[in-house]
Each structure stands twice: as structure tokens, then as C-alpha cells.
Amino acid sequence: MPTIEHNASSFEVDEDGFLLKGDDFNQDWVQYVQSVEGIPELTDEHKKVIDALQEYYKKNGIAPMVRILSKTTGFPLKRIYELFPSGPGKGACKMAGLPKPTGCV
Amino acid sequence: MSLPKLEELSQSVWQGPSLSTGAIPTKEWMDTPVTFKPGGYAYPAKKEKLEYLDSQPGLNFPFARIWSPEEDDWLLPDNWKDIILKGLAERLDKFRSLKIFMDCCVRCGACADKCHFFLGTGDPRNMPVMRAELLRSVYRGEFTLAGKILGRLAGGRKMTVGVLKEWFMYAYQCTECRRCSIFCPYGIDTAEITIILRELLYSVGIGINWVIEPVSNSTKTGNHMGLQPLPFRDNIAFLAEDVENLTGVKLDVSFNRKGAEILFVTPSADAFAEPGIYTCMGYLLLFNALGLDYTWSTYASEGGNFGLFTNNEAMKALNGKMYAEAERLGVKYILGGECGHMWRVVHQYMDTMNGKTPANMEVPVSPITGTVFNNAASTKVVHITEFTADLIKHNKLNFDTSRNSHVRATWHDSCNPARAMGIIEEPRYVLDHVVDKWWEMPENTIREQTFCCGSGTGLNTDEIMELRMRSGLPRANAVKHVVDQHAVNTLACICAIDRATLTSLVDYWTPGVTVCGLTELVANALVQKGENRVDMPEGLRTMV
């Protein structure tokens, strides 16, 4: 599996660039994903989404349904796409260090 | 992988070179090796997922390792060839169908242009006759007298690493949709050949992660998504709350309830991702309106069975979970949701695979109409579409079709329910009652001849998006026809893979079409007692 070096950190990622070990998550990772996702500036709104994803993941072992994410953050789906152009799964979950979902999705 | 622009891809489909080699072949197929490039294959099965499955009783997923299709060396076990040949010999002995399929093809070519992968890739090895020939040539070369003596003259060849690689490429450029089989004068079922190829590949540790991770998740947590009991329950409760907010009717939803009459099982994607969640909201609304005595299970929380795409043992184990739960809860029968391949397993394999159903289960009877579902006498699973069609037939549902006035629908026959199971008239009958008017796609692309979404059998993963857009082209082309002719804006179907993959497909080939499940349209139009609805211009998709 590939390894990503960013600033002083090194991260093992899967084929699609998702973090393999959630514990590796740190601010260098956030900055790295920001650069590959082409997000010009990280705001409190981004942070709110990341925190909500991580909190839900810690409790449930999986990312929340997008509708639950919208409800907890108060951001409609459209706003989440503005914040994370690749969307909640490929953009926000990646930045939050969550694995990507599988199955009939 | 970046996806080519629509114009480029359309051009390439009929003029471009074969995907497997990047060039138009100049030599005979046996002399043209396959090459793997990014975007041309799905990611290999992860080592830890195979190891986990291999550790489970009754399952066999050996030789877990980290490997890449792009490397020359696939790190096969030393005795890989013996394993494959022994595996093939066992299967030729065990499955009479396989032996017949290996012997009886006359190369008439009726199947050749019926495959969506062939139509979308132009790759000769994607003609169903050729896909079977990849295995048949080894059967001849290693198992028949003529092939052993005459070799290539008799169409035979020896099993080599190159052949194994070819199997891996083309066993994963087939969605086991069986469209080719209905055109074959002998009824050769290429899906069963692909199934055997995939099984043999798993016996030497070769598989894809988009299949093996859902199998692993289903074994561990009960469903493909890996939803544990609490988030599964919470997601459905969340959707129920949405329905309540829209319709003003309080819903009664239960989980793991012993003594319920019916256990409801549907793909877990319906409880997780759009657009399946709207179908799920539809189930909740419909069952509540009926006052159905049913329960969800957090253990049997998956209708899909990706075991079908790995091997017989995994398929059997996953199918067994529904029945173990039906026995534990003491239900009379199972009502199955809008899933595709679940029905292939239940309808065609489980009788001989899993054997008798638990003693507490009974021949399904609709508690609303009294109809006895004798067609489900042995499996004790009723399809939601036949259940709903029966309710309509007996005037048990009251519809206001103007509530679907935003919908101009066409119907996609999902391969497995339609071709494998014969659920063809029922969804049409339901559609007739829940929308004012809907339009059929062209005759040779519907009913038994339906074209696959192009991403079934676990090929619904993003790294092969170009391949998916190619193999889905015949379906998309038919959708585009009714979009152009009748301004259709909705593609309805009864399969969770369809709901997810057709969305990507139509977004690419014919943007502006919404994909939905049938029960979403049923629930949109359903008039309930005591309802107090908000304005719902988009039906259950209306945000409150």
C-alpha cells in the first residue's frame, strides 16, 4: 500500500488515498487532504463536519448516513458539497480519516 | 481514475481498441496475453479480509496475501496449478450443468452481440462464447482425450499463469446477468461459468475487494455496509422520523421482535445511502399503513449476498443467516425487499444448498388479502413486489397518483428478479396504479431481454468507472431513447445495486434522470388513514 509523506508525518493509505489507520489522523493529514481536494481555506465549518464524522465513527464504527450528518451539523447536502467538492464520502470522510464504505452504494 | 469525456468514450466504444490490450489484436486470442493497467481491474481482495473469512467455520479463503494485478508475479502458491485443476475436476463432477456447458457449445454465435460488456468494450473475449471458451479450452486441453492429444487443433490448451490472468480479467468483466443465456439455443448459462471461474480463482487467493469486504462485513456484522446493530436501528428510526414529519402519521417500527409474523429483509444500502433510503422510507410507510405485524433484524440485516460472487460456501453461509434469524424470532415467513441477486440465491440455489427451512416457518399467506404464496412454499420468502401487486389486485391500497405528478417513469427490469425469477408483470402492474402514465424502453432491452446496469456482481466500484460506463451503455442508450421520446425523468427498478449504479450511469450518459425504487413510488402515492401531509412536491424526497 502507498505511503504519503506530508510535513513531518507519514501516512499509510489505501488505493484511493484513504487513511489505513485512523489513529494516524493529525493536522498534517488534514492539510494534506485539503491540498489534494483543492479546498482553498479550512474554516470552522469544515472542522464542524470533521468533528461530527469522527464523533459518530468513534461511537458506531461506520460513517453516518449523509442525512444524519446534515442534521448534526445543520448543513444541507449542498453546503457539504461546497465545503468538500468530492462530497461527504470521498472528501469529508477522507479528511476525517474514516475508511470508505462498501456494498450496494 | 479519471473518466473520459462522453464524446471520447462514445467514439472509442465503436472505433477504439480493445481495453484488455490497448490495441486491436493482430494475433489469435490464445496468443494475445492480457495486460492490467489502472482502471482496467478492480482492486484485489485485502489480505486481512480474506484471513478473517478463512478463519470462519465452513468457509475457505486460502492464500491471503498482498499482490497486484499489474505485477508479473502474482505470488501464487507453488501448487496453484494442481489446486485449479483439482478444483475444476471436482466441479465437473459435482455440477452436471458445468459439464454440459463445457461440452455442448456449437459456436453458433447467437450470444456474441447480446453481452453488454462486448457491446461496450468491443473486446472479442467479452463475447459470451469466448468467455466460456477461456475455461472450455482448459477443460479440453486437460480433461478430454482429443484435447490432450491434439491440443490447439481440438481447441484445447494447458493451464498456465497467463490463462489464470485472463480468467481474472474476464471473470470480472461479466455481471452474471444471464442475458446471453436466453439467446443460446442450448441454454448455456454463462453466469454459471463466471461463477466457477471466480470460485477457482478464490481457491488460489485471487479476488476483488469490492466483493470480499461486503462478504466479510456481512459475516461479521450482518450486512455489507458493516452497520452494527445500533447504527442500523438508528438509521431506520431516523428514516421513520422523516416519514412521520412528512406525513403526520406515527410509525410503529420494531427490531428483533420475537413472535412477529413476518421478518423483513432488504439490502443494507437501503438503510444507509441515497437513493435507497427513499425506498426504505417507502417500506416503512407502506407496512405501517397496512398495520403489518413485521420486524426488522439487526442480525439478518442484509438482503444482498455477495457470497454468490465468491464461492458456494460463502453464499450458503450468508443465506443461512436469514433463516437462522427467522427461526430465532419464530416468524412465519420472510418478506424480501427490493434486492437483485438475493433473489437469484433464494429462488435458484437455496433449496438444494441450504435444505429445508426451519420448522416454525409456514407457506406465506398475505395477512391482508389471504392470498397463499404457493410459489414461495419451499423458500418461505415473498418478494415485496408480488406482495404489493396482490394488495392492489384486492383493492387494499388507496392511491392518489397526482402525488407522483413530478415523475415521468420508465421501468428497468433488474436482471435477477426479472430473468432469474420472472418478476416481470408484477412491477408493471404496480406502476400502472401508482403513476398516471409511464413509458417502456425498446422491446429488446426489457423484460427477459433486459440490459444489465453494467456494474452488478460486485463490479460497482469506482476504480473501474470507465469499464462500468462502457458495460452500462446499452442500458443507458435505451434510457436515453425514452428520455428523448417521452421526456422521461425517472428510472425505477427493484435492486439496490441498480439504484446506486444506474445513478452514476445515467448521470454520465443521460443526465437529469432520477433513479428510484418501486416502493418509493408506491408510498409517494399511498393515501393513509389519519395523514396530515406537508406539501411534498418531490414525494418522500421532499426535505422538511
Side-chain angles (χ1 to χ4, degrees):
Chain A
M1 287 292 143
T3 305
I4 303 280
E5 308 279 346
H6 193 77
N7 294 342
S9 306
S10 119
F11 305 99
E12 275 187 88
V13 296
D14 73 4
E15 300 94 333
D16 292 317
F18 282 72
L19 213 52
L20 277 184
K21 295 183 206 126
D23 289 346
D24 286 352
F25 175 86
N26 61 22
Q27 285 313 303
D28 285 345
W29 175 255
V30 174
Q31 279 181 14
Y32 164 73
V33 178
Q34 183 195 351
S35 66
V36 293
E37 290 289 307
I39 298 168
E41 194 193 348
L42 280 180
T43 63
D44 286 349
E45 289 185 315
H46 289 99
K47 193 170 175 332
K48 198 173 178 183
V49 174
I50 300 298
D51 288 349
L53 284 172
Q54 291 185 335
E55 195 180 324
Y56 187 95
Y57 185 80
K58 271 183 198 128
K59 194 173 146 203
N60 296 297
I62 191 168
M65 268 201 301
V66 177
R67 276 164 91 100
I68 291 182
L69 181 66
S70 284
K71 199 175 183 184
T72 22
T73 57
F75 301 144
L77 184 57
K78 191 167 158 275
R79 183 70 193 134
I80 296 176
Y81 267 96
E82 284 163 7
L83 294 169
F84 299 93
S86 319
K90 284 169 202 152
C93 281
K94 186 187 268 186
M95 189 180 272
L98 271 53
K100 60 174 185 260
T102 57
C104 305
V105 289
Chain B
M1 293 306 296
S2 64
L3 192 56
K5 294 246 179 308
L6 188 139
E7 294 71 24
E8 284 172 61
L9 188 54
S10 327
Q11 187 89 351
S12 162
V13 162
W14 63 283
Q15 285 188 328
S18 144
L19 264 192
S20 68
T21 58
I24 292 168
T26 51
K27 291 181 187 157
E28 286 201 29
W29 69 272
M30 280 195 201
D31 301 320
T32 308
V34 291
T35 52
F36 290 89
K37 296 188 191 120
Y41 62 89
Y43 299 144
K46 285 196 182 123
K47 183 168 175 268
E48 66 272 19
K49 303 293 172 194
L50 283 175
E51 281 168 346
Y52 166 73
L53 285 171
D54 197 45
S55 73
Q56 297 302 302
L59 298 186
N60 187 25
F61 286 93
F63 307 114
R65 61 189 184 276
I66 295 167
W67 65 284
S68 165
E70 289 182 56
E71 301 288 330
D72 279 344
D73 186 354
W74 285 14
L75 307 173
L76 294 163
D78 290 340
N79 59 340
W80 72 268
K81 195 173 160 181
D82 292 341
I83 296 171
I84 293 280
L85 292 179
K86 197 167 157 245
L88 180 53
E90 278 170 16
R91 285 165 180 80
L92 284 165
D93 188 48
K94 188 173 167 191
F95 305 116
R96 201 169 52 152
S97 55
L98 176 65
K99 180 79 168 56
I100 293 170
F101 297 158
M102 289 296 98
D103 282 327
C104 76
C105 175
V106 291
R107 320 289 213 292
C108 72
C111 62
D113 60 351
K114 307 304 187 292
C115 171
H116 53 294
F117 269 96
F118 177 64
L119 294 172
T121 62
D123 185 334
R125 273 180 284 207
N126 269 328
M127 292 187 283
V129 54
M130 275 299 301
R131 200 184 315 281
E133 200 68 17
L134 303 180
L135 180 62
R136 195 176 282 128
S137 55
V138 173
Y139 163 72
R140 282 205 208 93
E142 303 271 10
F143 292 86
T144 69
L145 187 62
K148 279 181 191 165
I149 297 168
L150 297 171
R152 263 174 91 149
L153 274 176
R157 62 176 173 172
K158 294 289 171 194
M159 187 68 210
T160 64
V161 172
V163 170
L164 192 83
K165 291 184 174 183
E166 202 177 30
W167 285 6
F168 179 64
M169 178 166 274
Y170 295 101
Y172 291 94
Q173 289 190 23
C174 167
T175 46
E176 301 175 8
C177 82
R178 300 169 74 244
R179 187 170 191 269
C180 53
S181 73
I182 60 164
F183 294 93
C184 173
Y186 287 97
I188 294 174
D189 186 344
T190 307
E192 299 219 343
I193 290 167
T194 297
I195 288 171
I196 296 295
L197 286 173
R198 291 189 183 190
E199 276 201 14
L200 290 171
L201 288 166
Y202 272 107
S203 71
V204 292
I206 304 282
I208 69 169
N209 202 57
W210 201 260
V211 168
I212 217 66
E213 191 157 327
V215 174
S216 165
N217 283 345
S218 280
T219 309
K220 197 184 267 180
T221 60
N223 55 68
H224 292 163
M225 310 300 308
L227 285 161
Q228 293 171 31
L230 291 179
F232 183 78
R233 183 201 66 185
D234 291 351
N235 282 5
I236 288 166
F238 185 90
L239 296 172
E241 201 183 309
D242 275 356
V243 176
E244 289 173 1
N245 291 336
L246 287 167
T247 63
V249 177
K250 182 94 184 72
L251 300 192
D252 188 13
V253 185
S254 70
F255 296 87
N256 308 324
R257 180 164 59 86
K258 284 191 178 172
E261 183 177 1
I262 296 167
L263 167 64
F264 181 64
V265 180
T266 198
S268 62
D270 288 354
F272 187 79
E274 302 195 13
I277 53 172
Y278 305 113
T279 310
C280 188
M281 287 163 75
Y283 305 139
L284 292 165
L285 191 155
L286 174 66
F287 299 159
N288 199 72
L290 296 170
L292 202 65
D293 179 14
Y294 83 108
T295 187
W296 295 78
S297 162
T298 57
Y299 172 78
S301 50
E302 179 62 66
N305 185 341
F306 274 29
L308 171 64
F309 316 140
T310 56
N311 62 33
N312 203 279
E313 292 73 26
M315 164 165 63
K316 180 179 172 179
L318 293 182
N319 188 58
K321 292 186 83 162
M322 286 195 299
Y323 290 91
E325 188 66 337
E327 184 169 29
R328 190 181 74 88
L329 298 178
V331 301
K332 289 184 182 165
Y333 64 94
I334 297 169
L335 183 59
E338 297 185 17
C339 181
H341 62 276
M342 161 186 187
W343 296 99
R344 180 90 191 269
V345 178
V346 167
H347 194 71
Q348 297 196 312
Y349 299 129
M350 78 157 275
D351 257 358
T352 48
M353 188 172 66
N354 294 76
K356 278 201 166 138
T357 53
N360 57 291
M361 297 185 82
E362 297 172 10
V363 176
V365 179
S366 169
I368 320 294
T369 66
T371 297
V372 182
F373 292 95
N374 276 317
N375 57 317
S378 69
T379 62
K380 321 279 195 299
V381 193
V382 175
H383 193 291
I384 179 128
T385 306
E386 53 188 352
F387 190 79
T388 306
D390 173 64
L391 292 167
I392 296 173
K393 179 94 181 161
H394 289 87
N395 282 317
K396 299 295 181 189
L397 299 175
N398 184 12
F399 293 116
D400 173 357
T401 53
S402 73
R403 293 176 177 186
N404 271 325
S405 59
H406 59 294
V407 171
R408 293 176 67 84
T410 189
W411 180 250
H412 166 69
D413 289 280
S414 303
C415 304
N416 282 309
R419 242 189 315 266
M421 197 189 173
I423 298 271
I424 287 173
E425 297 305 334
E426 293 88 340
R428 288 175 167 77
Y429 182 76
V430 173
L431 262 184
D432 286 344
H433 288 82
V434 301
V435 294
D436 281 331
K437 190 163 168 43
W438 63 279
W439 293 267
E440 288 274 20
M441 286 183 273
E443 196 182 354
N444 59 343
T445 72
I446 56 170
R447 296 175 176 264
E448 290 90 346
Q449 298 189 26
T450 185
F451 268 116
C452 177
C453 65
S455 306
T457 62
L459 301 187
N460 50 322
T461 183
D462 285 359
E463 65 267 22
I464 50 170
M465 195 55 95
E466 181 185 336
L467 196 55
R468 290 172 50 189
M469 295 302 106
R470 285 171 176 272
S471 60
L473 174 59
R475 171 39 79 220
N477 202 22
V479 176
K480 190 167 186 317
H481 178 76
V482 283
V483 169
D484 293 345
Q485 298 283 315
H486 307 293
V488 156
N489 64 8
T490 303
L491 179 58
C493 60
I494 39 172
C495 164
I497 290 183
D498 278 340
R499 282 191 281 282
T501 64
L502 289 172
T503 302
S504 314
L505 187 74
V506 294
D507 280 353
Y508 184 79
W509 288 114
T510 175
V513 175
T514 299
V515 179
C516 74
L518 185 61
T519 307
E520 179 186 339
L521 298 180
V522 169
N524 277 350
L526 191 63
V527 179
Q528 296 180 85
K529 273 190 204 139
E531 64 181 18
N532 180 22
R533 291 158 54 106
V534 300
D535 184 30
M536 293 166 64
E538 295 176 74
L540 291 173
R541 300 190 184 213
T542 309
M543 295 293 279
V544 278

